[in-house]
Amino acid sequence: DVKVTQSSRYLVKRTGEKVFLECVQDMDHENMFWYRQDPGLGLRLIYFSYDVKMKEKGDIPEGYSVSREKKERFSLILESASTNQTSMYLCASSYEGLAGRSSYNEQFFGPGTRLTVL
Amino acid sequence: DQQVKQNSPSLSVQEGRISILNCDYTNSMFDYFLWYKKYPAEGPTFLISISSIKDKNEDGRFTVFLNKSAKHLSLHIVPSQPGDSAVYFCAANGQGSGYALNFGKGTSLLVTP
């Protein structure tokens, strides 16, 4: 079974703090993703990575950065946390699959990190 | 711009009856569709998928129907059970859409005993 783990289930930080959210997958997946989920807005893609050291902006990258130094680990960084970044953060991974069409392969999600910024 | 739309934020169904969750999409390049189920405080879990070469895919109590001409898909759950109460997300991808999935906003299903 694919396992995607996230470093914290719940996190409380103060405005202006630097926040690191870690995600690790154990299935040698090429692709990793960070989403945030907010009520009424669904899942919105922040950043994704299709290979080590490679990253692409998603729909809402402002205020975030990412790091992928190893294939199994994908970190989301809030350089200076703000209250509007209070949200549920979800990490996912998928393998490249056939003919480069990773979309034919489901994404596996971690349990999520509920971040509150005060 | 929301390319995958779930226009019903919530749905309530009695146990044993059919639940029908709907999803519409606007991008004609989408050719692969997935449904995810999410319980509170957990990550989404994959439920069922369908590619555009099919119009129906079945897995136990769950069936997904795809109407390409209408750009519409639906998830049927028969019979519905209280444990099915969760938020259901529709997602899509296709040529030129990149690696990521495009998600709808979700429909919260409540199955009452």
Side-chain angles (χ1 to χ4, degrees), chain A residues 2 28 71 82 95:
Chain A
V2 173
D28 203 36
K71 191 175 186 180
S82 62
Y95 71 97

Side-chain angles (χ1 to χ4, degrees), chain B residues 75-89:
Chain B
L75 174 69
H76 293 211
I77 306 173
V78 185
S80 302
Q81 300 173 353
D84 296 329
S85 298
V87 178
Y88 290 79
F89 291 99

Side-chain angles (χ1 to χ4, degrees), chain A residues 9 37 40 102-104 107 110, chain B residues 32 36 38 41 43 93 99 105:
Chain A
R9 294 299 302 271
Q37 185 204 355
S102 64
S103 60
Y104 284 144
Q107 291 181 16
Chain B
Y32 188 61
Y36 280 83
K38 186 181 183 299
N93 199 286
Y99 291 90
K105 293 184 179 181

Side-chain angles (χ1 to χ4, degrees), chain A residues 10 18-19 30 40 54-56 59-60 63 73 79 98 102-103 108:
Chain A
Y10 300 94
K18 191 168 186 175
V19 181
E30 290 83 4
M54 306 304 289
K55 60 187 180 186
E56 292 280 346
D59 299 318
I60 50 164
R73 189 179 297 269
E79 294 289 341
L98 57 94
S102 64
S103 60
F108 295 86

Side-chain angles (χ1 to χ4, degrees), chain A residues 24-67:
Chain A
V24 177
Q25 50 93 4
D26 65 359
M27 283 300 290
D28 203 36
H29 284 173
E30 290 83 4
N31 306 319
M32 296 188 76
F33 308 84
W34 275 106
Y35 294 88
R36 62 179 281 178
Q37 185 204 355
D38 300 288
L41 297 177
L43 274 70
R44 294 181 293 167
L45 181 66
I46 305 171
Y47 266 98
F48 68 95
S49 168
Y50 52 90
D51 201 351
V52 175
K53 296 192 187 294
M54 306 304 289
K55 60 187 180 186
E56 292 280 346
K57 291 180 180 179
D59 299 318
I60 50 164
E62 297 78 19
Y64 303 95
S65 62
V66 290
S67 171

Side-chain angles (χ1 to χ4, degrees), chain A residues 1 7 22 39-40 52 66 68 84 90 109:
Chain A
D1 269 359
S7 50
E22 302 282 338
V52 175
V66 290
R68 191 156 179 214
N84 63 13
L90 294 159
F109 283 83

